[in-house]
Amino acid sequence: MILRLCRRAVGEVRICVTGASLTRFLNACAEGGIMLRQMERTAWNCMEAAVSLGDFRRLPSCMGRTGCRVRIVERRGLPFVLARLLPRTALLCGLALFCALVCLVGTRVWEIRTDISPSLDRDAVMEKLGELGVGIGTPLRAIDTPSIRRQMMIWDPEISFFALNLRGNSLTVTAHAGAQPPETANDTELVSIVAKRDGVIASVEALRGAAMVSAGDAVRKGDVLIDGCVLPTREGGKAHFVRSDGRVYAYTRRSVQTVRPLERTEKRFSGKTKTRYGLCIEFRRKHYFLGKRISGGDCEKTVERRVWQLSESVRFPVSLEVQTYRYYEPEPCTRTAEDERTEMLRLALGRAAADMEDGEILSYDAQTQEKNGAAVLTLSLHVKEQIGAAVNDRELR
Amino acid sequence: MAFEELREEARGPQVELLGRHLATLEHHCGLIEYDSTVLRAKAHGCEVRITGENLALTALTLDELALEGEIHAVEFVSGGEETG
């Protein structure tokens, strides 16, 4: 099998030899060192055999006066395939270009992904890596991972783990910072929990300190809920100061108001679209667009980037950017407050929920009215929420 | 004297048969006749004649040849290439 492949690589021809003295031809070939294979006698004066391309070229000089005629029956092998393809310049150029592209894609870094802790400065890490010679287009062999890891950890002592993972032509930079020491609270400091809103107490969970309120009590903003000054529980004892801790839930009322104009401009799409294609060369951060610029009229632009890749981790450094422009006409429209109610209510409830630290909306009442060409939604909420906030005693007194 | 005979014998043709379908001939001095029923080759001191049916020459070099087919007989006929 391997021998056959080698023979096909150098090329071979099957010849037909015709003549009365075939034995003289065979003797001449043997003397000339020409190897005849797959010999087949087809007639008394005719035989076929396979010879390599090199032996076939030497054949005329060895034949001498044998009186035989040699005719090629079949050509096999790579040299003949290439000879057939030679006039197809574009095909050969394309093949060469593809080989060069595959070589280029497979031997350099064309994508860098990052997994860097938020406490580290990503831009600074990437800039330092660039100084160390790691970037888009860097040859894969030139990346000395242990050395780079060592230098990065020396450069920023906050980095506790650093790794460069190569997969195909994609490089993943992983940098994790060491865990920050937990913030220690000064237990001897006098801190009390006070109410940050008016309300009626629902429950008190005093983990440290003396609870000053109980369920059902009405409190105002600023009232002490859990006091840091704990009174003695026995006769002759002394009061001691602690850092209060706990959670106090109360029923509160909240009010949210949202306003939205009733007259506004809406987009009426005309159905006309234009598409623009661009090649994005990532390592040069340049875009090359085909065709004319899009100009004139109001339009909505959608950008889609198509990445070309051989596999999940081997991608080409060039991507196709498709920009789609949808033209529209701005059309003024007038809506009523009722039309806007649902959307405004959704937004107001979302805003109220986001404003609460820890709590739930028990019920709400929404009033919508039109005022000065705008819809005004007033939302009253009944909420059960945590109202305790830690305050230093110095701020309190 | 025995050594001289042994040396002459070594220069002479050597035929090796593998069953009756494959024959190799070493130390030949060229083909005289070849077709599907007979192959005659010159050798030192004699001529080798292999007869059979569907004979096909599969390899041929200056010193050796291989023959495939149904071999009926191998004969050594006196009067081949003169020994030098």
Side-chain angles (χ1 to χ4, degrees):
Chain A
M1 178 70 185
I2 293 171
L3 275 175
R4 191 196 286 178
L5 280 176
C6 292
R7 285 200 292 265
R8 288 292 165 95
V10 296
E12 69 175 7
V13 287
R14 187 155 183 84
I15 54 171
C16 175
V17 187
T18 318
S21 54
L22 286 178
T23 50
R24 284 176 71 186
F25 171 79
L26 289 170
N27 288 332
C29 286
E31 277 174 28
I34 291 169
M35 179 70 102
L36 298 170
R37 290 179 304 99
Q38 298 167 10
M39 282 181 274
E40 192 183 336
R41 192 73 179 257
T42 52
W44 70 273
N45 64 343
C46 180
M47 65 170 283
E48 287 186 7
V51 287
S52 71
L53 198 56
D55 283 350
F56 179 73
R57 285 185 182 136
R58 289 196 294 121
L59 209 53
S61 60
C62 294
M63 281 172 65
R65 290 183 168 184
T66 56
C68 293
R69 294 184 64 188
V70 175
R71 180 169 57 87
I72 293 173
V73 177
E74 191 185 354
R75 296 174 173 88
R76 295 184 288 219
L78 189 63
F80 298 108
V81 174
L82 287 178
R84 269 202 297 273
L85 291 178
L86 210 57
R88 300 182 178 183
T89 319
L91 183 71
L92 279 180
C93 287
L95 196 66
L97 197 67
F98 178 75
C99 291
L101 197 62
V102 166
C103 182
L104 198 69
V105 162
T107 55
R108 284 166 189 271
V109 174
W110 292 120
E111 186 189 24
I112 295 181
R113 298 175 187 177
T114 55
D115 175 17
I116 297 174
S117 296
S119 55
L120 296 171
D121 185 355
R122 184 189 172 281
D123 292 339
V125 169
M126 296 312 292
E127 193 179 327
K128 182 65 184 171
L129 272 178
E131 285 174 20
L132 294 174
V134 179
I136 296 288
T138 306
L140 298 178
R141 284 186 180 182
I143 298 174
D144 183 2
T145 310
S147 166
I148 291 167
R149 184 193 300 137
R150 200 165 46 248
Q151 291 184 59
M152 290 300 289
M153 291 182 84
I154 291 168
W155 169 69
D156 189 353
E158 275 191 28
I159 298 175
S160 63
F161 176 80
F162 188 85
L164 293 176
N165 297 313
L166 268 172
R167 192 158 173 243
N169 63 1
S170 170
L171 177 76
T172 306
V173 179
T174 310
H176 290 169
Q180 294 291 325
E183 196 176 324
T184 52
N186 182 5
D187 281 349
T188 58
E189 195 179 20
L190 177 57
V191 171
S192 295
I193 305 283
V194 299
K196 58 183 177 185
R197 305 184 70 85
D198 298 348
V200 176
I201 301 296
S203 64
V204 181
E205 297 166 14
L207 302 175
R208 194 183 296 164
M212 304 301 286
V213 290
S214 57
D217 291 350
V219 294
R220 296 191 72 82
K221 184 180 177 183
D223 287 353
V224 176
L225 304 174
I226 302 173
D227 199 354
C229 176
V230 181
L231 297 174
T233 53
R234 59 187 172 82
E235 197 175 337
K238 288 181 179 175
H240 64 278
F241 302 108
V242 295
R243 182 185 183 85
S244 300
D245 190 12
R247 301 178 78 75
V248 180
Y249 289 88
Y251 298 106
T252 60
R253 284 177 66 88
R254 281 172 175 262
S255 181
V256 179
Q257 196 172 58
T258 55
V259 181
R260 183 177 269 214
L262 291 172
E263 284 186 7
R264 59 171 183 266
T265 308
E266 285 194 343
K267 295 174 185 175
R268 190 169 58 81
F269 289 98
S270 60
K272 179 186 171 189
T273 57
K274 274 190 180 177
T275 309
R276 200 171 172 221
Y277 296 93
L279 276 178
C280 178
I281 300 175
E282 296 184 8
F283 58 96
R284 298 190 68 181
R285 295 186 181 183
K286 278 195 173 179
H287 291 215
Y288 297 97
F289 287 99
L290 307 172
K292 291 177 183 175
R293 284 190 171 198
I294 306 290
S295 59
D298 294 315
C299 52
E300 199 175 76
K301 178 180 168 186
T302 314
V303 179
E304 184 194 355
R305 183 170 290 185
R306 293 173 192 168
V307 177
W308 293 322
Q309 52 187 35
L310 286 177
S311 68
E312 191 188 336
S313 55
V314 179
R315 51 174 289 182
F316 289 103
V318 179
S319 55
L320 181 72
E321 191 172 296
V322 183
Q323 295 183 349
T324 310
Y325 295 84
R326 292 173 69 203
Y327 285 85
Y328 64 85
E329 295 293 333
E331 194 177 63
C333 72
T334 308
R335 295 171 70 90
T336 63
E338 279 305 307
D339 294 339
E340 296 289 325
R341 181 186 161 87
T342 311
E343 181 63 15
M344 288 171 78
L345 185 61
R346 190 181 65 79
L347 290 172
L349 284 172
R351 200 194 303 167
D355 192 39
M356 275 191 294
E357 184 192 339
D358 178 12
E360 56 177 327
I361 297 168
L362 300 174
S363 63
Y364 65 84
D365 177 36
Q367 298 286 333
T368 318
Q369 57 183 336
E370 290 184 22
K371 196 184 277 184
N372 300 330
V376 179
L377 178 97
T378 310
L379 184 66
S380 298
L381 298 144
H382 290 89
V383 177
K384 182 186 176 185
E385 61 177 320
Q386 203 283 120
I387 59 164
V391 177
N392 196 295
D393 191 61
R394 284 192 297 275
E395 297 169 30
L396 192 62
R397 304 203 192 272
Chain B
M1 187 65 183
F3 177 73
E4 285 297 318
E5 280 181 4
L6 200 63
R7 200 170 69 174
E8 278 302 310
E9 198 67 26
R11 288 182 65 189
Q14 292 180 19
V15 180
E16 194 178 334
L17 286 169
L18 191 69
R20 52 184 299 183
H21 292 286
L22 179 66
T24 57
L25 169 60
E26 292 179 32
H27 302 164
H28 72 88
C29 301
L31 295 177
I32 302 167
E33 187 184 353
Y34 161 55
D35 61 33
S36 61
T37 56
V38 65
L39 181 138
R40 288 165 59 213
K42 277 189 286 183
H44 289 286
C46 65
E47 176 192 310
V48 180
R49 182 187 171 93
I50 302 173
T51 53
E53 284 177 33
N54 302 323
L55 298 181
L57 200 57
T58 53
L60 177 68
T61 65
L62 198 54
D63 196 39
E64 276 182 41
L65 64 87
L67 192 69
E68 272 185 4
E70 197 173 328
I71 296 164
H72 292 169
V74 179
E75 293 170 68
F76 295 90
V77 182
S78 300
E81 183 90 338
E82 287 301 318
T83 56

